mmCIF file with all atom_site columns, all heavy atoms in Angstrom:
data_model
loop_
_atom_site.group_PDB
_atom_site.id
_atom_site.type_symbol
_atom_site.label_atom_id
_atom_site.label_alt_id
_atom_site.label_comp_id
_atom_site.label_asym_id
_atom_site.label_entity_id
_atom_site.label_seq_id
_atom_site.pdbx_PDB_ins_code
_atom_site.Cartn_x
_atom_site.Cartn_y
_atom_site.Cartn_z
_atom_site.occupancy
_atom_site.B_iso_or_equiv
_atom_site.pdbx_formal_charge
_atom_site.auth_seq_id
_atom_site.auth_comp_id
_atom_site.auth_asym_id
_atom_site.auth_atom_id
_atom_site.pdbx_PDB_model_num
ATOM   1  N N   . ASP A 1 16  ? 30.393 -245.062 -90.837  1.00 94.00 ? 16  ASP A N   1
ATOM   2  C CA  . ASP A 1 16  ? 29.267 -245.342 -91.730  1.00 94.00 ? 16  ASP A CA  1
ATOM   3  C C   . ASP A 1 16  ? 29.213 -246.833 -92.056  1.00 94.00 ? 16  ASP A C   1
ATOM   4  O O   . ASP A 1 16  ? 30.246 -247.461 -92.275  1.00 94.00 ? 16  ASP A O   1
ATOM   5  C CB  . ASP A 1 16  ? 29.434 -244.555 -93.035  1.00 94.00 ? 16  ASP A CB  1
ATOM   6  C CG  . ASP A 1 16  ? 29.592 -243.076 -92.776  1.00 94.00 ? 16  ASP A CG  1
ATOM   7  O OD1 . ASP A 1 16  ? 30.735 -242.638 -92.514  1.00 94.00 ? 16  ASP A OD1 1
ATOM   8  O OD2 . ASP A 1 16  ? 28.587 -242.377 -92.789  1.00 94.00 ? 16  ASP A OD2 1
ATOM   9  N N   . ARG A 1 42  ? 18.297 -238.131 -85.138  1.00 98.00 ? 42  ARG A N   1
ATOM   10 C CA  . ARG A 1 42  ? 19.635 -238.313 -85.709  1.00 98.00 ? 42  ARG A CA  1
ATOM   11 C C   . ARG A 1 42  ? 20.273 -236.980 -86.054  1.00 98.00 ? 42  ARG A C   1
ATOM   12 O O   . ARG A 1 42  ? 19.588 -235.963 -86.209  1.00 98.00 ? 42  ARG A O   1
ATOM   13 C CB  . ARG A 1 42  ? 19.570 -239.183 -86.962  1.00 98.00 ? 42  ARG A CB  1
ATOM   14 C CG  . ARG A 1 42  ? 18.781 -238.520 -88.064  1.00 98.00 ? 42  ARG A CG  1
ATOM   15 C CD  . ARG A 1 42  ? 18.697 -239.387 -89.299  1.00 98.00 ? 42  ARG A CD  1
ATOM   16 N NE  . ARG A 1 42  ? 18.009 -238.611 -90.331  1.00 98.00 ? 42  ARG A NE  1
ATOM   17 C CZ  . ARG A 1 42  ? 18.180 -238.765 -91.619  1.00 98.00 ? 42  ARG A CZ  1
ATOM   18 N NH1 . ARG A 1 42  ? 19.019 -239.667 -92.063  1.00 98.00 ? 42  ARG A NH1 1
ATOM   19 N NH2 . ARG A 1 42  ? 17.533 -238.034 -92.479  1.00 98.00 ? 42  ARG A NH2 1
ATOM   20 N N   . TYR A 1 57  ? 27.727 -233.098 -98.734  1.00 81.00 ? 57  TYR A N   1
ATOM   21 C CA  . TYR A 1 57  ? 28.125 -234.491 -98.893  1.00 81.00 ? 57  TYR A CA  1
ATOM   22 C C   . TYR A 1 57  ? 28.829 -234.727 -100.224 1.00 81.00 ? 57  TYR A C   1
ATOM   23 O O   . TYR A 1 57  ? 29.743 -235.521 -100.313 1.00 81.00 ? 57  TYR A O   1
ATOM   24 C CB  . TYR A 1 57  ? 26.905 -235.420 -98.864  1.00 81.00 ? 57  TYR A CB  1
ATOM   25 C CG  . TYR A 1 57  ? 26.338 -235.721 -97.508  1.00 81.00 ? 57  TYR A CG  1
ATOM   26 C CD1 . TYR A 1 57  ? 26.824 -235.110 -96.371  1.00 81.00 ? 57  TYR A CD1 1
ATOM   27 C CD2 . TYR A 1 57  ? 25.305 -236.633 -97.368  1.00 81.00 ? 57  TYR A CD2 1
ATOM   28 C CE1 . TYR A 1 57  ? 26.282 -235.394 -95.136  1.00 81.00 ? 57  TYR A CE1 1
ATOM   29 C CE2 . TYR A 1 57  ? 24.752 -236.925 -96.147  1.00 81.00 ? 57  TYR A CE2 1
ATOM   30 C CZ  . TYR A 1 57  ? 25.249 -236.301 -95.027  1.00 81.00 ? 57  TYR A CZ  1
ATOM   31 O OH  . TYR A 1 57  ? 24.708 -236.587 -93.816  1.00 81.00 ? 57  TYR A OH  1
ATOM   32 N N   . ARG A 1 98  ? 24.151 -240.701 -83.908  1.00 98.00 ? 98  ARG A N   1
ATOM   33 C CA  . ARG A 1 98  ? 25.284 -239.770 -83.955  1.00 98.00 ? 98  ARG A CA  1
ATOM   34 C C   . ARG A 1 98  ? 25.070 -238.563 -83.040  1.00 98.00 ? 98  ARG A C   1
ATOM   35 O O   . ARG A 1 98  ? 23.987 -238.016 -82.937  1.00 98.00 ? 98  ARG A O   1
ATOM   36 C CB  . ARG A 1 98  ? 25.581 -239.244 -85.363  1.00 98.00 ? 98  ARG A CB  1
ATOM   37 C CG  . ARG A 1 98  ? 25.938 -240.319 -86.363  1.00 98.00 ? 98  ARG A CG  1
ATOM   38 C CD  . ARG A 1 98  ? 26.544 -239.690 -87.619  1.00 98.00 ? 98  ARG A CD  1
ATOM   39 N NE  . ARG A 1 98  ? 26.908 -240.696 -88.581  1.00 98.00 ? 98  ARG A NE  1
ATOM   40 C CZ  . ARG A 1 98  ? 27.983 -241.477 -88.482  1.00 98.00 ? 98  ARG A CZ  1
ATOM   41 N NH1 . ARG A 1 98  ? 28.796 -241.331 -87.463  1.00 98.00 ? 98  ARG A NH1 1
ATOM   42 N NH2 . ARG A 1 98  ? 28.243 -242.381 -89.390  1.00 98.00 ? 98  ARG A NH2 1
ATOM   43 N N   . THR A 1 103 ? 31.423 -235.932 -84.274  1.00 98.00 ? 103 THR A N   1
ATOM   44 C CA  . THR A 1 103 ? 32.144 -234.718 -84.684  1.00 98.00 ? 103 THR A CA  1
ATOM   45 C C   . THR A 1 103 ? 33.623 -234.848 -84.324  1.00 98.00 ? 103 THR A C   1
ATOM   46 O O   . THR A 1 103 ? 34.500 -234.510 -85.124  1.00 98.00 ? 103 THR A O   1
ATOM   47 C CB  . THR A 1 103 ? 31.539 -233.471 -84.002  1.00 98.00 ? 103 THR A CB  1
ATOM   48 O OG1 . THR A 1 103 ? 30.121 -233.582 -84.055  1.00 98.00 ? 103 THR A OG1 1
ATOM   49 C CG2 . THR A 1 103 ? 31.968 -232.198 -84.699  1.00 98.00 ? 103 THR A CG2 1
ATOM   50 N N   . GLN A 1 107 ? 35.449 -234.846 -87.832  1.00 96.00 ? 107 GLN A N   1
ATOM   51 C CA  . GLN A 1 107 ? 36.165 -233.588 -88.043  1.00 96.00 ? 107 GLN A CA  1
ATOM   52 C C   . GLN A 1 107 ? 37.583 -233.706 -87.470  1.00 96.00 ? 107 GLN A C   1
ATOM   53 O O   . GLN A 1 107 ? 38.501 -233.029 -87.924  1.00 96.00 ? 107 GLN A O   1
ATOM   54 C CB  . GLN A 1 107 ? 35.384 -232.409 -87.452  1.00 96.00 ? 107 GLN A CB  1
ATOM   55 C CG  . GLN A 1 107 ? 34.234 -231.914 -88.355  1.00 96.00 ? 107 GLN A CG  1
ATOM   56 C CD  . GLN A 1 107 ? 33.222 -232.986 -88.721  1.00 96.00 ? 107 GLN A CD  1
ATOM   57 O OE1 . GLN A 1 107 ? 32.618 -233.591 -87.842  1.00 96.00 ? 107 GLN A OE1 1
ATOM   58 N NE2 . GLN A 1 107 ? 33.044 -233.239 -90.008  1.00 96.00 ? 107 GLN A NE2 1
HETATM 59 P P1  . TYD B 2 .   ? 24.867 -240.315 -91.486  1.00 67.66 ? 301 TYD B P1  1
HETATM 60 O O1  . TYD B 2 .   ? 24.695 -240.886 -90.138  1.00 67.66 ? 301 TYD B O1  1
HETATM 61 O O2  . TYD B 2 .   ? 25.356 -241.222 -92.573  1.00 67.66 ? 301 TYD B O2  1
HETATM 62 O O3  . TYD B 2 .   ? 23.534 -239.565 -91.924  1.00 67.66 ? 301 TYD B O3  1
HETATM 63 P P2  . TYD B 2 .   ? 22.505 -239.930 -93.081  1.00 67.66 ? 301 TYD B P2  1
HETATM 64 O O4  . TYD B 2 .   ? 22.171 -241.389 -92.912  1.00 67.66 ? 301 TYD B O4  1
HETATM 65 O O5  . TYD B 2 .   ? 21.378 -239.021 -92.785  1.00 67.66 ? 301 TYD B O5  1
HETATM 66 O O6  . TYD B 2 .   ? 23.188 -239.621 -94.374  1.00 67.66 ? 301 TYD B O6  1
HETATM 67 O O7  . TYD B 2 .   ? 25.850 -239.066 -91.365  1.00 67.66 ? 301 TYD B O7  1
HETATM 68 C C1  . TYD B 2 .   ? 26.222 -238.381 -92.510  1.00 67.66 ? 301 TYD B C1  1
HETATM 69 C C2  . TYD B 2 .   ? 27.707 -238.143 -92.554  1.00 67.66 ? 301 TYD B C2  1
HETATM 70 O O8  . TYD B 2 .   ? 28.044 -237.021 -91.730  1.00 67.66 ? 301 TYD B O8  1
HETATM 71 C C3  . TYD B 2 .   ? 28.493 -239.317 -92.049  1.00 67.66 ? 301 TYD B C3  1
HETATM 72 O O9  . TYD B 2 .   ? 29.413 -239.727 -93.043  1.00 67.66 ? 301 TYD B O9  1
HETATM 73 C C4  . TYD B 2 .   ? 29.218 -238.789 -90.840  1.00 67.66 ? 301 TYD B C4  1
HETATM 74 C C5  . TYD B 2 .   ? 29.224 -237.309 -91.016  1.00 67.66 ? 301 TYD B C5  1
HETATM 75 N N1  . TYD B 2 .   ? 29.216 -236.561 -89.743  1.00 67.66 ? 301 TYD B N1  1
HETATM 76 C C6  . TYD B 2 .   ? 30.317 -235.775 -89.421  1.00 67.66 ? 301 TYD B C6  1
HETATM 77 O O10 . TYD B 2 .   ? 31.297 -235.703 -90.198  1.00 67.66 ? 301 TYD B O10 1
HETATM 78 N N2  . TYD B 2 .   ? 30.310 -235.045 -88.260  1.00 67.66 ? 301 TYD B N2  1
HETATM 79 C C7  . TYD B 2 .   ? 29.249 -235.070 -87.395  1.00 67.66 ? 301 TYD B C7  1
HETATM 80 O O11 . TYD B 2 .   ? 29.276 -234.386 -86.353  1.00 67.66 ? 301 TYD B O11 1
HETATM 81 C C8  . TYD B 2 .   ? 28.116 -235.887 -87.728  1.00 67.66 ? 301 TYD B C8  1
HETATM 82 C C9  . TYD B 2 .   ? 26.921 -235.921 -86.818  1.00 67.66 ? 301 TYD B C9  1
HETATM 83 C C10 . TYD B 2 .   ? 28.136 -236.617 -88.909  1.00 67.66 ? 301 TYD B C10 1
#
Side-chain angles (χ1 to χ4, degrees):
D16 305 85
R42 64 181 184 152
Y57 282 5
R98 299 194 179 284
T103 317
Q107 280 56 58

